[in-house]
């Protein structure tokens, strides 16, 4: 049976503000090209960290839906 | 240095035009490229008579395909030219990837020993065709190879095909029961049948050059993203026999193919890679690449194989290698149908199995080409991110794509194979793994030397191999070959029975020897209705 992929539960243990701030901090002073490159590297690293191709593909689909 | 000497093959007036003896041919093959020639030899090994038509009278001009995979070499070995190819070719298994001026990683394609054939060799396509043509001459009663015989028309009949053929002496009609179209990427047969060839076209142009030089580059595949000598593009360097090196240079979308072929442009580009060594240009061409395939390969009595059926970009060496595997899959099926040992329905499995393989080859080749030729800023950003991360992050190396090199397609789960049981060894659908064996006479050989060409029961260990009509038996263990290094057992398991197809793929395996179970798997593997088999028995 396919287990539905849960993309919405908070898994950051109450530290979402820390993570968000670190993300913005990393982009400070970067021009759009450098920011885009940073984002791409980050996405690839997180993709691997997730360790679950189906979950990553579901996350991509969720992000693509607007 | 002996370079390959092109010599035209002699044209002879065909019997239809010289008043000689003619009659319908069981099999016509259009195209004497690697695929058509291999098909003719495979069919001849099954005792089927073939006429090959080729519009030209030489082997491939320029080396074109150079990388031949382990699987192709195993097939070529079955056809009788594998050892000759390996002896002449440059064996390699290491690839290195560079970004700008630093190496980001290296891979080894065949880290294990105990296989007859290496992971890859490089050998110019003209040598392969030349060896195949010479091998055809071993079957003078079965293979009629007609140079300068061009297919110009096809009429489909209920139980055959009539091909119109143009020669220097005029045109004639050739009636055949079956026609295999191996007439390449621009297939005339495809055009005459009005078949759609849908797919993807890549806009980037690539300069492909074969350069002769004495150099000490190792026998490795070197691939660069954005090298200092060719900024913003990709480049590849690969060694071939006769001191010839293949160089691929991406040129981008706006390059003018005619200009780019001119020596005054090519030579400085090559110098930038090889430095101030002396070299000479052997062959230069500018390409764009495509990935396309026919919707179906079997059209009643006309069957497509090789580039006529599907084309891919060359990153991954899946074109020629894929075509050779088409032949491996098709020849035994056609031979069984022609000899009355199977129904024509068996041919549907050629579509099923080789379309799966073509899609796999297209998917890999298209992804590699996309990686090399980003179509948008964002594609380029992700591509560069993967390359940049690759130096320090193992996972990212697997995202960097300079071509996923050709591997045989698994036929698991498709209709000729019988699933189960779960056990150690190789699963149904895979190519039977190779391993060293020793005969009762003390002679060393390889397992795959003894498989292929017919359906075979391969018994490993103590299991009994029942005698079943139509099945050969090969034993490894007490009463058969010895397993000197234990690699047969390591790769295939102990006390197991495999049903191996004529193309060396595993159709089924058994841990208990039941004649009914084996007969049922065999019937399934040739699409024979079991009821009919009983009735016939
Ligand atoms: C630059 C480059 C590099 C490549 N590298 C590799 C590689 O490393 N490894 C790999 O596996 N593949 C590679 N390929 C692909 C490989 O060359 C092809 O897949 C292979 O040649 C296909 O073989 P084929 O026999 O189907 O067709 P072809 O080799 O094209 O042969 C078709 C034959 O049909 C004949 N013909 C055409 N029309 C007619 C007609 N009307 N009547 C009679 N005869 C006709 C032609 O003269 C020709 O002899 C490469 C291709 C290119 C261009």
């Amino acid at each position: 049976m396919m287990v539905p992929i849960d993309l919405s539960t908070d898994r950051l243990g109450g530290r979402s503000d820390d993570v968000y701030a670190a993300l913005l901090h990393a982009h400070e002073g970067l021009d759009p090209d450098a920011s885009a490159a940073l984002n791409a590297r980050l996405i690839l690293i997180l993709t691997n960290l997730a360790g679950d191709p189906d979950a990553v593909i579901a996350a991509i689909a969720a992000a693509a839906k607007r | 240095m002996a370079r390959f000497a092109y010599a035209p093959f002699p044209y002879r007036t065909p019997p239809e035009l010289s008043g000689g003896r003619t009659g319908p041919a069981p099999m016509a093959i259009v195209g004497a490229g690697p695929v058509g020639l291999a098909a003719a030899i495979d069919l001849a090994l099954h005792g089927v008579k073939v006429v090959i038509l080729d519009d030209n009278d030489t082997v491939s001009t320029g080396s074109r395909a150079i990388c031949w995979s382990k699987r192709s070499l195993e097939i070529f070995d079955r056809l009788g030219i594998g050892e000759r190819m390996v002896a002449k070719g440059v064996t390699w298994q290491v690839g290195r990837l560079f970004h700008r001026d630093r190496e980001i990683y290296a891979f080894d394609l065949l880290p294990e020993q105990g296989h007859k054939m290496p992971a890859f060799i490089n050998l110019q396509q003209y040598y392969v065709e030349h060896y195949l043509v010479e091998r055809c001459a071993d079957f003078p009663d079965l293979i009629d190879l007609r140079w300068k015989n061009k297919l110009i028309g096809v009429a489909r009949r209920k139980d055959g095909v009539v091909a119109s053929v143009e020669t220097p002496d005029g045109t004639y009609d050739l009636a055949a029961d079956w026609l295999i179209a191996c007439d390449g990427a621009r297939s005339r047969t495809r055009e005459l049948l009005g078949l759609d060839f849908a797919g993807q076209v890549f806009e980037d142009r690539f300069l492909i050059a074969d350069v002769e030089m004495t150099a000490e580059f190792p026998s490795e595949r070197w691939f660069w993203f954005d090298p200092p000598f060719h900024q913003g593009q990709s480049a590849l360097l690969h060694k071939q026999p006769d001191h010839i090196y293949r160089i691929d240079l991406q040129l981008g979308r706006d390059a003018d193919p005619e200009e780019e072929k001119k020596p005054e442009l090519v030579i400085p580009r090559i110098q930038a890679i090889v430095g101030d060594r002396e070299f000479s240009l052997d062959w230069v061409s500018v390409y764009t690449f495509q990935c396309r395939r026919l919707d179906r390969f079997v059209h009643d009595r006309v069957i497509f194989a090789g580039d006529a059926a599907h084309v891919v970009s060359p990153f991954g060496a899946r074109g020629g290698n894929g075509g050779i595997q088409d032949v491996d899959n098709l020849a035994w099926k056609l031979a069984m149908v022609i000899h009355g040992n199977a129904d024509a329905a068996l041919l549907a499995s050629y579509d099923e199995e080789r379309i799966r393989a073509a899609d796999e080859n297209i998917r890999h080749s298209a992804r590699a080409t996309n990686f090399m030729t980003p179509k948008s800023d964002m594609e380029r950003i992700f591509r560069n991110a993967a390359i940049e991360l690759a130096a320090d992050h193992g996972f990212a190396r697997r995202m960097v794509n300079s071509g996923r090199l050709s591997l045989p397609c698994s036929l698991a789960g498709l209709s000729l194979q019988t699933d189960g049981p779960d056990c150690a060894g190789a699963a149904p659908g895979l190519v039977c793994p190779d391993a060293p064996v020793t005969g009762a006479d003390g002679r060393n050989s390889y397992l795959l030397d003894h498989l292929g060409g017919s359906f075979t029961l391969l018994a490993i260990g103590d299991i009994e191999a029942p005698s079943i009509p139509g099945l050969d038996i090969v034993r490894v263990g007490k009463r058969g070959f010895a397993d000197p290094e234990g690699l047969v057992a390591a790769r295939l398991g102990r006390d197991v029975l495999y049903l191996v197809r004529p193309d060396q793929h595993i159709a089924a395996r058994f841990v208990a020897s039941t004649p009914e179970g084996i007969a049922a798997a065999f019937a399934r593997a040739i699409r024979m209705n079991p009821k009919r088999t009983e009735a016939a028995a």
Side-chain angles (χ1 to χ4, degrees):
Chain A
M1 209 189 72
M2 278 268 295
V3 184
I5 292 164
D6 169 14
L7 293 169
S8 43
T9 302
D10 176 15
R11 297 174 213 269
L12 294 176
R15 296 191 55 202
S16 4
D17 288 352
D18 290 347
V19 170
Y20 193 78
L23 185 57
L24 295 200
H25 182 66
H27 282 280
E28 257 165 46
L30 298 186
D31 64 28
D33 284 352
S35 266
L38 166 64
N39 278 341
R41 288 194 298 274
L42 179 62
I43 289 168
L44 296 184
I45 289 171
L46 292 178
T47 291
N48 181 59
L49 201 57
D52 178 347
D54 290 328
V56 171
I57 289 165
I60 293 169
K65 200 168 72 184
R66 300 208 296 154
Chain B
M1 240 177 285
R3 259 201 230 175
F4 185 83
Y6 290 94
F9 298 110
Y11 162 76
R12 287 187 204 86
T13 307
E16 287 78 0
L17 292 171
S18 64
R21 251 163 53 119
T22 59
M27 186 69 61
I29 293 176
V30 186
V35 173
L37 291 166
I41 294 164
D42 209 349
L43 286 162
L45 288 169
H46 287 285
V48 175
K49 271 180 101 146
V50 302
V51 175
I52 317 179
L53 308 169
D54 194 272
D55 59 348
N56 209 330
D57 64 351
T58 62
V59 292
S60 164
T61 324
S63 53
R64 291 171 74 204
I66 60 167
C67 299
W68 302 96
S69 70
K70 175 174 189 282
R71 182 61 201 145
S72 294
L73 292 170
E74 288 164 357
I75 297 166
F76 282 128
D77 199 35
R78 190 171 60 68
L79 301 183
I81 66 160
E83 292 180 10
R84 195 174 175 193
M85 286 177 66
V86 174
K88 177 73 189 176
V90 171
T91 295
W92 66 276
Q93 63 196 55
V94 172
R96 288 184 200 283
L97 270 142
F98 303 90
H99 180 220
R100 309 223 165 94
D101 52 1
R102 72 168 173 160
E103 181 175 330
I104 49 176
Y105 81 97
F107 55 81
D108 186 338
L109 291 165
L110 189 63
E112 54 171 45
Q113 298 295 307
H115 296 263
K116 179 170 183 182
M117 289 298 165
F120 266 94
I121 66 162
N122 283 357
L123 182 64
Q124 294 89 323
Q125 183 162 335
Y126 43 70
Y127 276 112
V128 178
E129 293 183 16
H130 185 77
Y131 297 169
L132 288 167
V133 170
E134 288 192 355
R135 178 68 174 135
C136 284
D138 292 339
F139 305 91
D141 300 329
L142 292 172
I143 301 181
D144 177 356
L145 180 45
R146 301 183 180 181
W147 304 105
K148 282 188 178 292
N149 275 242
K150 179 179 182 170
L151 179 90
I152 54 165
V154 186
R156 294 160 73 185
R157 304 267 185 270
K158 204 167 103 328
D159 48 8
V161 179
V162 179
S164 307
V165 188
E166 185 182 87
T167 77
D169 294 312
T171 59
Y172 69 95
D173 282 348
L174 179 75
D177 296 338
W178 300 87
L179 183 144
I180 315 181
C182 310
D183 46 356
R186 294 203 186 87
S187 171
R188 186 73 181 269
T189 315
R190 211 174 55 217
E191 185 189 307
L192 288 165
L193 264 54
L195 301 175
D196 219 25
F197 201 46
Q200 185 179 4
V201 178
F202 300 93
E203 289 173 31
D204 272 60
R205 295 187 192 276
F206 287 82
L207 175 77
I208 316 273
D210 282 339
V211 168
E212 184 179 343
M213 65 180 169
T214 325
E216 61 294 341
F217 296 113
S219 303
E220 297 176 344
R221 179 183 194 262
W222 286 5
F223 194 97
W224 290 266
F225 290 101
D226 195 13
F229 55 79
H230 192 58
Q231 281 178 14
Q233 306 286 5
S234 64
L236 174 135
L237 178 73
H238 219 172
K239 190 179 191 170
Q240 307 170 54
D242 302 344
H243 302 282
I244 295 196
Y245 287 83
R246 166 63 54 86
I247 292 172
D248 286 13
L249 292 172
Q250 186 180 0
L251 297 175
R253 292 172 188 209
D254 306 324
D256 174 339
E258 285 317 306
E259 278 299 303
E260 291 290 347
K261 260 187 267 189
K262 292 186 175 158
E264 58 266 34
L265 261 84
V266 176
I267 287 170
R269 289 197 190 281
I270 309 274
Q271 268 163 345
I273 308 177
V274 306
D276 47 16
R277 290 181 180 80
E278 260 187 60
F279 65 85
S280 64
L281 293 178
D282 185 46
W283 173 70
V284 176
S285 195
V286 173
Y287 284 91
T288 53
F289 297 117
Q290 320 195 338
C291 286
R292 299 173 183 271
R293 75 160 165 85
L294 284 172
D295 196 33
R296 286 179 293 124
F297 302 163
V298 180
H299 294 260
D300 301 324
R301 296 298 183 108
V302 178
I303 303 176
F304 290 83
D307 278 11
H310 42 71
V311 289
V312 292
S313 66
F315 308 105
R318 289 169 178 270
N321 288 306
I324 295 305
Q325 290 169 61
D326 288 347
V327 168
D328 192 38
N329 190 288
L330 176 62
W332 66 267
K333 294 175 183 173
L334 266 174
M336 285 195 96
V337 172
I338 288 170
H339 294 318
N341 295 325
D343 293 338
L346 177 60
L347 295 172
S349 70
Y350 170 70
D351 260 343
E352 184 193 24
E353 297 182 339
R354 292 314 296 169
I355 285 175
R356 173 191 276 192
D359 284 347
E360 189 172 294
N361 289 331
I362 286 171
R363 188 168 64 245
H364 283 299
S365 305
R367 285 177 175 174
T369 315
N370 282 330
F371 193 87
M372 255 168 255
T373 63
K375 288 187 299 299
S376 66
D377 291 343
M378 197 42 78
E379 280 194 21
R380 184 172 298 278
I381 287 167
F382 271 110
R383 200 282 293 267
N384 291 346
I387 295 173
E388 280 165 23
L389 290 173
D392 297 326
H393 299 270
F395 83 87
R397 290 174 200 157
R398 306 199 62 167
M399 290 182 163
V400 175
N401 193 344
S402 75
R404 303 283 180 234
L405 288 155
S406 174
L407 288 171
C409 175
S410 167
L411 308 176
L414 298 184
S415 59
L416 301 191
Q417 280 59 250
T418 303
D419 283 344
D422 257 343
C423 58
L430 297 177
V431 176
C432 181
D434 202 8
V437 293
T438 307
D441 54 2
R443 290 239 311 256
N444 292 322
S445 56
Y446 283 87
L447 184 59
L448 289 184
D449 289 329
H450 308 285
L451 299 172
S454 60
F455 271 94
T456 303
L457 265 183
L458 170 63
I460 298 163
D462 279 337
I463 198 161
E464 206 45 55
S467 129
I468 290 176
L471 295 188
D472 292 343
I473 295 177
V474 169
R475 290 190 181 86
V476 179
K478 270 205 309 250
R479 280 169 302 137
F481 290 102
D483 180 11
E485 298 173 38
L487 289 173
V488 176
R491 291 173 189 165
L492 286 137
R494 278 173 219 278
D495 304 334
V496 259
L497 209 53
Y498 286 89
L499 176 62
V500 183
R501 311 186 342 168
D503 52 21
Q504 298 172 332
H505 280 260
I506 296 165
R509 66 174 168 181
F510 312 88
V511 284
S513 170
T514 59
E516 309 74 49
I518 296 166
F522 179 39
R524 183 183 174 110
I526 59 173
R527 282 248 170 123
M528 197 64 97
N529 185 338
K531 287 210 190 83
R532 234 198 72 176
T533 330
E534 268 165 44

